Amino acid sequence: MDEEQVEFRAGRDAHGLARWVPGLVQEREQREDELWLKVLPAYSSSDEDALWVRQGDIRGTAGPA
């Protein structure tokens, strides 16, 4: 699968606004509640930094595979 570029919500900034971080989708997994995506932040090249993020905290074109 080609990696897909998205942005994921990574907390809030000092003004209370959502902080969005660019990343690459590596995997998708359907769980009971919703779709989760394993995203590698753009600032990292190490798979150890990849995070599982629920689809509701992703913006971009991350839809079903």
Side-chain angles (χ1 to χ4, degrees):
M1 174 175 90
D2 292 329
E3 291 181 328
E4 180 180 355
Q5 293 183 356
V6 296
E7 291 182 314
F8 64 96
R9 188 177 3 226
R12 300 210 172 265
D13 65 15
H15 302 287
L17 301 172
R19 181 172 167 250
W20 295 91
V21 174
L24 296 173
V25 176
Q26 294 183 320
E27 296 179 44
R28 289 175 168 78
E29 180 178 297
Q30 182 64 48
R31 298 183 184 174
E32 282 186 29
D33 53 350
E34 66 182 303
L35 183 66
W36 286 70
L37 295 91
K38 189 174 184 181
V39 181
L40 179 65
Y43 58 77
S44 176
S45 60
S46 171
D47 286 340
E48 293 178 9
D49 291 332
L51 315 162
W52 282 102
V53 180
R54 65 183 188 89
Q55 186 176 21
D57 288 330
I58 299 274
R59 67 181 183 188
T61 58

